[in-house]
Amino acid sequence: MGKTIYGADLLITIDGKQNGHASSHTLTLNAETRELIYKKVMTAPIKPSRHKDKEVTYVNFSISFSGMCFYEETEADAASLMASALEGAVVPVKSFIRGNESAPLLTGNAIITNIQMEAPADGNVTYSGTLESTGEFTINEANLAKAAAANEG
């Protein structure tokens, strides 16, 4: 039986840097669809149609992420992510299993659509945000299987 992939081992990079002191992230694949409603053939009996079809028109991904703020951060941090968001920059994004950065599960470009910092008086400063894909992206299921097999033990 294979070894479970721990959440701490599934990582993302944003603009070439790991999500600094990440506490979590969620990768979501979205399919936009359109409804296909059409008239029946001329010889069909007269009665309303109760069925409609759907087809996928676009596929995209979004990633929500969070982390803790540190002085002298060397990875992607709240300040650099806020700067990218203010510029409306398109940033490269990768998702991969620790130790397998050269075999990513997802690669693509995204725009930071939301970034926020939380600073409770009695706790750590944290940040969170959302990335939404722009353009083409790649998902490589084989890399997930390879990484899982490499981590068995």
Side-chain angles (χ1 to χ4, degrees), residues 25-42:
H25 77 270
T26 301
L27 170 62
T28 305
L29 294 175
N30 305 297
E32 294 181 32
T33 61
R34 71 176 180 160
E35 293 181 352
L36 301 172
I37 302 172
Y38 44 87
K39 298 176 183 180
K40 292 183 178 186
V41 296
M42 183 173 64

Side-chain angles (χ1 to χ4, degrees), residues 8 15 17 35 46 48-49 69 71 79 81 85 90 92 101 112 130 133 148:
D15 204 12
K17 293 184 177 181
E35 293 181 352
I46 298 175
S49 176
C69 295
Y71 292 109
L81 295 170
V90 174
E101 186 176 357
I112 301 169
T130 304
S133 67

Side-chain angles (χ1 to χ4, degrees), residues 67-132:
M68 296 177 60
C69 295
F70 275 75
Y71 292 109
E72 302 174 21
E73 179 65 78
T74 59
E75 299 174 332
D77 64 347
S80 65
L81 295 170
M82 284 183 174
S84 293
L86 282 172
E87 292 173 16
V90 174
V91 294
V93 176
K94 277 201 298 192
S95 175
F96 57 94
I97 294 179
R98 185 181 307 281
N100 293 284
E101 186 176 357
S102 62
L105 310 174
L106 176 139
T107 56
N109 292 315
I111 297 171
I112 301 169
T113 58
N114 171 313
I115 184 91
Q116 58 191 25
M117 291 177 70
E118 185 174 344
D122 62 347
N124 297 323
V125 176
T126 60
Y127 67 96
S128 61
T130 304
L131 297 156
E132 292 185 15

